[in-house]
Amino acid sequence: LAELVTPISDERDRPIYHKNLLPLVYVVADQAGRVDSPLYGDIVVQSHDGGASFGPAMFSTSHATITGLEVARSDPRVIYLAMSSLQLQHPYVVRSTDAGETWREFDLTAQLDRRPLIISILAVHPQDAQTLYFRVSDGKQDLLAISTDAGETVRVAHRLETSMSAFLVRADGTLLLATSEGESFRSTDAGASFEPWTSAASKLHIQ
């Protein structure tokens, strides 16, 4: 392998685990076999017994990497996936409104400047299943993107000069954003504008 590529060491984003002790579990997995095949890809499987057993794949893709999965708290039938294509890193959102029976895919490349970007889903608004928050990265700088129509369109809410380290939607709708450089920002108007957050509490990074 070393004759074909130059391996480098790099830090990878840490997985985010949501542990709520409910029996329903979704897992994103990578297909594999004895012989490599371009048909293999990422899949989503579901467990109804806390992970003791899993059913067949409810979603699969061979052209993109699934970077995140979120279920709407206000409507558990609504499931969102974030994906980035394998070759050009086009950002996608995939949506199901019937608990994974059917899916719709939305290519966000044109809306996000047509650059190679990695997209990951940060959260679904706790009271509004159609409002989503995304982290979009070009490897050096991150931005926060928001969709209010269930992933069909997105708008850039805030651009950062470095990488995002934390994001939180508070019960009152306030959005909190932190960076790897220790900066913090706050929005009290649903992400229409952000201002530096300089209170003592802002020094605590939210994980």
Side-chain angles (χ1 to χ4, degrees), residues 5-172:
V5 300
T6 302
I8 61 173
S9 298
D10 197 4
E11 184 176 346
R12 189 172 182 177
D13 286 348
R14 291 173 293 176
I16 301 175
Y17 299 95
H18 299 279
K19 188 179 176 89
N20 53 18
L21 302 181
L22 293 178
L24 180 60
V25 177
Y26 294 97
V27 171
V28 176
D30 184 19
Q31 288 179 309
R34 293 185 177 181
V35 179
D36 195 15
S37 169
L39 298 179
Y40 293 144
D42 285 0
I43 62 173
V44 176
V45 292
Q46 186 183 65
S47 171
H48 291 273
D49 52 16
S53 63
F54 290 89
M58 57 192 303
F59 178 84
S60 64
T61 177
S62 59
H63 73 275
T65 297
I66 300 174
T67 58
L69 182 154
E70 287 288 340
V71 179
R73 188 183 307 175
S74 60
D75 186 354
R77 297 169 301 173
V78 179
I79 308 170
Y80 294 101
L81 306 175
M83 305 193 310
S84 291
S85 61
L86 297 174
Q87 293 184 341
L88 299 176
Q89 294 183 337
H90 287 178
Y92 293 88
V93 173
V94 187
R95 180 186 73 211
S96 174
T97 57
D98 51 15
E101 291 292 328
T102 59
W103 300 85
R104 288 188 63 190
E105 185 176 298
F106 306 100
D107 187 345
L108 304 179
T109 305
Q111 301 178 45
L112 293 171
D113 301 331
R114 297 187 179 275
R115 295 180 294 126
L117 295 168
I118 300 294
I119 187 171
S120 56
I121 186 167
L122 294 169
V124 179
H125 193 285
Q127 285 87 41
D128 181 5
Q130 294 204 0
T131 298
L132 300 89
Y133 306 92
F134 300 97
R135 174 190 176 188
V136 185
S137 176
D138 64 3
K140 296 180 180 179
Q141 297 175 323
D142 288 359
L143 60 85
L144 174 68
I146 300 176
S147 172
T148 56
D149 57 6
E152 296 190 27
T153 62
V154 296
R155 66 174 178 86
V156 175
H158 192 65
R159 295 182 184 272
L160 300 172
E161 297 298 323
T162 183
S163 59
M164 188 184 306
S165 64
F167 175 78
L168 177 67
V169 183
R170 297 177 112 173
D172 62 0

